[in-house]
C-alpha cells in the first residue's frame, strides 16, 4: 500500500515541477500543415536560415543573400562572364567618373504595386547609410558625397540625407561621389544597392521578416530555421524573369543530409557537396553535377606585426610561396575542388592577368635559395592560423608538410576553434604568423581583390601590410578617368605586389554542387551562386 | 513525504541560479565577439558595433549583464538573439516540441525494448540468448552514433526505400521512428545490460525463493517481486537519460535534419549567441532536476523500505 501512496506523490511532484517550469512537453505546433510537399513548378535549394532579418543592406552572408537576390533587383547585375547586365536601370553613365547619372526603366513596380522611382532608390540609400540604422553594409555608400554627414566616425549624424544623391525626375537621378571612382557602376551590382518601398519606413523591423521588393519573386512565407518560400512574380519586367513558379529555400543542418535529399529526389539543388560525398557525387548525379570555378581566392596572409614576419624580406615570402606544391595539394587533399592560383586575382574578374613571374610555381631548389637570400624566417619556424570549424585543417597540414619538405622551415597549424575566435585574433593583431585569408568577389573587377585587401587603410587588411609605393599606385588607379585605365593601373599594382608579397595566393575556389533529375538549366554566376531565376522544372 | 517534495522543489531554485550563472560566465569567457563576427571578413565599423552592443546591453560589466538577464528571465523574457533579432523564447519554443517528441519516442523505445531484452537475457544468465544480447549491446555501445545513423539511413531509405532519408519540415510521428531508434540505441544497450545483471542477481535472492515456495504464479513472481527490486539501478539510469536524449541529440538531429534543441545550441554556440545558449541549457537543467526528483521518488514506489521524511 505504501507503494501506491508514494506513487501519488511522484505524480504530484511531477505535475508541480512541470507546471512551475512551464515545460509541459506539449506539442505547440498547432494544426498540421503539410509543408513537406513542394508546390508544383517550384524548385528547392539548400539555403539555411539567414543570419539576420531580410534587409538588403544588412545581409552579407550567403544564405541571406540568396533570398535577398530573389526578392530585390538593383540597377544592374552581372552575367557569368562578369559583364554588366542592366536590370532596373535603363542606363548608368558618367563623363568624369565622379558624377553618375542613372536612368530607370519606366513602369517598374514593387510587389505591393508602388512604382519604383528615383526617390525609392535615394531614400533607401540614405536610410542604409545612416549610422543610426546600423546596417552592416553601410560602408558601401561611403563613396557618395555627404556620407560623412549621415555616417560620422563618432557621434550622431548631422543629416539624414547624403548631398550627393539628387532626383532629376521620376526615373532619373544623379550620384555625385566625393572622389573619382571609375568602377563605381560595378559596385552598384551589389545587392545592398536595392530600392525600398515606402511601407518599409513605417516598420523596418516587420519588413525584415516579410520583405517587399521589386525582384523576380515575391515573398510568401518564412518558417524560421526550416523554410523560406518565394513565388514568381508575373509582373516582373527585368531580363532575369523567373522561369519557374517559385523557390523553396530549405534549411539543412548538414550538407550530408541535404545531399541525401537530392539523391532521393526531395531536394532539387545543393550548393556544395560535403567532403564525404565528393568522391562519388559525379557518378551519383550524372549530368546534374556542377563543378565550376568562381571568383574567389584563398591566400596565406602574413601578419606583418608578428615576430615571424616583422620587417621580413619579401624574398622569403616568395620562397615560401614556391615551396608549396599547389598542384598536388589541390588534386589530392582538396579532391580537385580548388584550382591552383596564378595571380592575386581570380580569372573571372576584369583585369586578371598572367603574371610574368614564377613565384606561384613549385620549385623547391629556388625556394630554398630565395629564403636564404632573404635572411630566412626568424627561428626557422612559423604558424598558419585557421578556424577549425571550416574544414581547413587538412590543407593547412598539407601546405606545412610541403614547405617543411622543400625548405626545412618548420611550419605548424595554429587552430582557432571557430570563426569568431579566428576573426578576433585577426582584429586584435594577435596572429602569430600567417592567417588563412579568403575573399569572394563583391564585384567582378580586379580592384576588389587588390584595394580592399592590400591598401594600407583597407579594413580587411588584417595583415597590416603597409607600403607607400603600392598605395601610390592604387591612388593612380582611382584617379583614372575610365574603367579601362583604372583596371590597367591596378594591373600595375598587382605586378608590384609580386615584389612586395602582401600575401601568398594559394588557389581559386570552385563550386561543387549539383541538382536532381526534376530540374534543369542550373547555371552558376561569377561569385559562385546558383542562378535560380533560370532554373526550369521538367 | 510532502515536505520532502517541497524541499526538493525549493532546492531547485539555487541550483537553477547557479547553473545559469555558470553557463553565463562560460559564454562570457569564450573568445570571439558575436556582434563583430556577423560582419565576417568584410569591413567593420567600430562605432556601429559599439552602438549595437550598447542597444543589446552587451557593453555593461558582466555582473550587471547577468542581473539584467535574471531580472528579465523572471518576467518571462529570455532576451533577444543578436543576429536574427528574434526573441530567444520564440526560437526555443520552435525547437523544443520536436526535441520533446523525439526524446519521448526514444525513451519509450529504450524502456520497452531495453527492459524486455534485459529480462529475457537475465532470466537465463549465461545461456545462448544471454550471450547474444551481450554481443548485440557491445556492438551498439562501441559503434559511434553517426555510423549507426548513416547505416540505418542508407539501408532504410535507399536500399529498402521504405522511408525518406530526412524528416520533413513538419515531421509526422512515423518519420520520427527511425531517428528515435538511432538515438535510443546507446541507452537501450545500457538499459538492457543493467536490467540483465540485476535480474540475474536478484533471481537467486532469498525472497524470490520464498515467493516461489509460497506458490505464487510465475507471472507475479517475475512481474512484481523480481522487477521491483531489479529496476532500481535501471530507473536511476533512465532518469538522467531523459536529459541526455534531449540535449545530446546533435549528431542524430544532424543526420536526419531535425531542427531540434541540439542543433540550436550548437549553432548558437558557434555564433556566440549567449542568451540562446543560457536559455536552452537552463531549460535542460530544469529537465534534469525534475527527472532526478522523480527518480528519487520512484525509489520509494519500487522499494517500500526506502522512505523520505
Amino acid at each position: 500500500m505504501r507503494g501506491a501512496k508514494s506513487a501519488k506523490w511522484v505524480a504530484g511532484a511531477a505535475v508541480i515541477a512541470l507546471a512551475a517550469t512551464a515545460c509541459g512537453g506539449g506539442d505547440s505546433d498547432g494544426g498540421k500543415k503539410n509543408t513537406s510537399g513542394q508546390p508544383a513548378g517550384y524548385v528547392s535549394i539548400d539555403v539555411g536560415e539567414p543570419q539576420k532579418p531580410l534587409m538588403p543592406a544588412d545581409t552579407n552572408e550567403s544564405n541571406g543573400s540568396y533570398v535577398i537576390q530573389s526578392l530585390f533587383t538593383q540597377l544592374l547585375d552581372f552575367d557569368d562572364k562578369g559583364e554588366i547586365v542592366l536590370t532596373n536601370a535603363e542606363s548608368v553613365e558618367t563623363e568624369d567618373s565622379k558624377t553618375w547619372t542613372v536612368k530607370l526603366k519606366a513602369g517598374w513596380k514593387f510587389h505591393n504595386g508602388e512604382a519604383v522611382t528615383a526617390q525609392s532608390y535615394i531614400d533607401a540609400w540614405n536610410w542604409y547609410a545612416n549610422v543610426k540604422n546600423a546596417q552592416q553594409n553601410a560602408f558601401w555608400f561611403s563613396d557618395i558625397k555627404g556620407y560623412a554627414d549621415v555616417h560620422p566616425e563618432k557621434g550622431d549624424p548631422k543629416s539624414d540625407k547624403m548631398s550627393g544623391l539628387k532626383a532629376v525626375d521620376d526615373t532619373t537621378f544623379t550620384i555625385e561621389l566625393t572622389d573619382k571612382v571609375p568602377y563605381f557602376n560595378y559596385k552598384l551590382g551589389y545587392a545592398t544597392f536595392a530600392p525600398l518601398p515606402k511601407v518599409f519606413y513605417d516598420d523596418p523591423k516587420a519588413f525584415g521578416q516579410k520583405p517587399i521588393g521589386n525582384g523576380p519573386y515575391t515573398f510568401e512565407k518564412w518558417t524560421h530555421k526550416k523554410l523560406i518560400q518565394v513565388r514568381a512574380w508575373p509582373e516582373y519586367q527585368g531580363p532575369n524573369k523567373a522561369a519557374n513558379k517559385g523557390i523553396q529555400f530549405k534549411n539543412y543542418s548538414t550538407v550530408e543530409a541535404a545531399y541525401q535529399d537530392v539523391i532521393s529526389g526531395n531536394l532539387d539543388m545543393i550548393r556544395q557537396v560535403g567532403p564525404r560525398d565528393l568522391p562519388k557525387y559525379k557518378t551519383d548525379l550524372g549530368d546534374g553535377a556542377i563543378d565550376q570555378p568562381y571568383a574567389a581566392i584563398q591566400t596565406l596572409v602574413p601578419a606583418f606585426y608578428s615576430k615571424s614576419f616583422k620587417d621580413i624580406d619579401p624574398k622569403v615570402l616568395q620562397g615560401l610561396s614556391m615551396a608549396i606544391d599547389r598542384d598536388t595539394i589541390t588534386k589530392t587533399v582538396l579532391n580537385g575542388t580548388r584550382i591552383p592560383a596564378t595571380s592575386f586575382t581570380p580569372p573571372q574578374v576584369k583585369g586578371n592577368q598572367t603574371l610574368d613571374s614564377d613565384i606561384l610555381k613549385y620549385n623547391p631548389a629556388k625556394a630554398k635559395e630565395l629564403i636564404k637570400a632573404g635572411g630566412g624566417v626568424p627561428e626557422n619556424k612559423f604558424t598558419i592560423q585557421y578556424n577549425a570549424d571550416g574544414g581547413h585543417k587538412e590543407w593547412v597540414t598539407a601546405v606545412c608538410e610541403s614547405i617543411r619538405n622543400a625548405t626545412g622551415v618548420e611550419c605548424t597549424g595554429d587552430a582557432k576553434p571557430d570563426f569568431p575566435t579566428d576573426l578576433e585574433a585577426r582584429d586584435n593583431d594577435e596572429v602569430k604568423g600567417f592567417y588563412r585569408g579568403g575573399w569572394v568577389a563583391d564585384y567582378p573587377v580586379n580592384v576588389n581583390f587588390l584595394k580592399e585587401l592590400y591598401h594600407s587603410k583597407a579594413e580587411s587588411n588584417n595583415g597590416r601590410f603597409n607600403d607607400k609605393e603600392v598605395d601610390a599606385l592604387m591612388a593612380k588607379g582611382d584617379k583614372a578617368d575610365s574603367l579601362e585605365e583604372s583596371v590597367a593601373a591596378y594591373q600595375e599594382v598587382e605586378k608590384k605586389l609580386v615584389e612586395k608579397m602582401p600575401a601568398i595566393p594559394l588557389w581559386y575556389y570552385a563550386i561543387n554542387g549539383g541538382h536532381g533529375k526534376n530540374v534543369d538549366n542550373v547555371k552558376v554566376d561569377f561569385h559562385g551562386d546558383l542562378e535560380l531565376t533560370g532554373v526550369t522544372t521538367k | 513525504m510532502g515536505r520532502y517534495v517541497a524541499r526538493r522543489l525549493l532546492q531547485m531554485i539555487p541550483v537553477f541560479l547557479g547553473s545559469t550563472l555558470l553557463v553565463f560566465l562560460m559564454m562570457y569567457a569564450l573568445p570571439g565577439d558575436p556582434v563583430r563576427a556577423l560582419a565576417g571578413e568584410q569591413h567593420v565599423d567600430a562605432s556601429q558595433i559599439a552602438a549595437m552592443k550598447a542597444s543589446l546591453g552587451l557593453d555593461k560589466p558582466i555582473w550587471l549583464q547577468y542581473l539584467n538577464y535574471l531580472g528579465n528571465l523572471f518576467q518571462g523574457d529570455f532576451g533577444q538573439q543578436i543576429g536574427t533579432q528574434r526573441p530567444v523564447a520564440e526560437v526555443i519554443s520552435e525547437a523544443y516540441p520536436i526535441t520533446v517528441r523525439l526524446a519521448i519516442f526514444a525513451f519509450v523505445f529504450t524502456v520497452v525494448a531495453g527492459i524486455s531484452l534485459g529480462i529475457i537475457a537475465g532470466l537465463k544468465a549465461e545461456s545462448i540468448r544471454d550471450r547474444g544480447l551481450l554481443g548485440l549491446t557491445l556492438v551498439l555501445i562501441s559503434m559511434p552514433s553517426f555510423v549507426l545513423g548513416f547505416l540505418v539511413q542508407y539501408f532504410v531509405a535507399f536500399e529498402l526505400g521504405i522511408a525518406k532519408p530526412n524528416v520533413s519540415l513538419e515531421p509526422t510521428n512515423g518519420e520520427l521512428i527511425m531517428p528515435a531508434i538511432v538515438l535510443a540505441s546507446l541507452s537501450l544497450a545500457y538499459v538492457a545490460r543493467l536490467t540483465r545483471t540485476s535480474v540475474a542477481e536478484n533471481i537467486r535472492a532469498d525472497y524470490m525463493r520464498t515467493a516461489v515456495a509460497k506458490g505464487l504464479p510465475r507471472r507475479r513472481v517475475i512481474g512484481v517481486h523480481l522487477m521491483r527490486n531489479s529496476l532500481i539501478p535501471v530507473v536511476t539510469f533512465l532518469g538522467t537519460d531523459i536529459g541526455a536524449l534531449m540535449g545530446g541529440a546533435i549528431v542524430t538531429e544532424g543526420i536526419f535534419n531535425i531542427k531540434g534543441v541540439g542543433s540550436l545550441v550548437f549553432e548558437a554556440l558557434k555564433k556566440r549567441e549567449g542568451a540562446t545558449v543560457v536559455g536552452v541549457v537552463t531549460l535542460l537543467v530544469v529537465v534534469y532536476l525534475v527527472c532526478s526528483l522523480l527518480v528519487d521518488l520512484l525509489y520509494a514506489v519500487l522499494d517500500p523500505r526506502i522512505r523520505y521524511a
Side-chain angles (χ1 to χ4, degrees), chain A residues 135 151 253 257 276 427 438, chain B residues 36 41 45 48 150 166 257:
Chain A
Q135 296 292 293
H151 201 116
S253 314
R276 190 193 71 177
D427 285 346
Chain B
R36 160 68 184 90
E41 308 204 356
D45 191 326
Q48 203 164 299
F150 283 133
N166 296 320
N257 200 39

Side-chain angles (χ1 to χ4, degrees), chain A residues 144-301:
Chain A
I144 299 170
K145 195 175 167 190
Y147 176 75
D149 294 337
V150 296
H151 201 116
E153 279 190 22
K154 268 197 189 120
D156 285 336
K158 275 181 246 157
S159 161
D160 57 359
K161 287 189 175 68
M162 291 186 278
S163 56
L165 297 176
K166 286 194 189 86
V168 178
D169 57 47
D170 255 8
T171 54
T172 317
F173 67 103
T174 57
I175 312 164
E176 194 188 334
L177 308 179
T178 323
D179 294 304
K180 279 185 188 175
V181 183
Y183 42 86
F184 184 71
N185 50 347
Y186 277 81
K187 286 193 169 188
L188 291 175
Y190 195 60
T192 293
F193 287 90
L196 291 173
K198 289 201 179 77
V199 288
F200 168 82
Y201 306 97
D202 298 338
D203 189 353
K205 207 172 167 186
F207 187 91
Q209 298 296 325
K210 209 173 180 265
I212 298 164
N214 62 336
Y217 295 90
T218 60
F219 179 84
E220 254 184 303
K221 65 175 170 191
W222 183 358
T223 315
H224 281 286
K225 300 225 162 174
K226 289 179 181 164
L227 171 87
I228 297 177
Q229 189 170 310
V230 298
R231 185 178 57 230
W233 191 45
E235 291 165 58
Y236 186 71
Q237 303 177 19
N240 52 339
K241 196 173 164 78
N244 43 57
K245 292 209 172 100
I247 309 169
Q248 286 194 324
F249 300 99
K250 288 184 176 174
N251 185 5
Y252 284 87
S253 314
T254 61
V255 279
E256 283 80 16
Y259 185 77
Q260 302 286 29
D261 260 6
V262 172
I263 298 293
S264 62
N266 296 316
L267 178 73
D268 292 329
M269 286 167 277
I270 180 168
R271 294 186 290 165
Q272 182 60 47
V273 175
R276 190 193 71 177
D277 302 306
L278 269 179
K280 65 182 176 77
Y281 85 103
K282 283 188 180 160
T283 36
D284 280 353
L285 295 173
D287 294 343
I290 298 170
D291 176 5
Q292 199 176 317
Y294 64 94
I297 191 169
Q298 193 141 70
T299 54
L300 291 182
V301 188

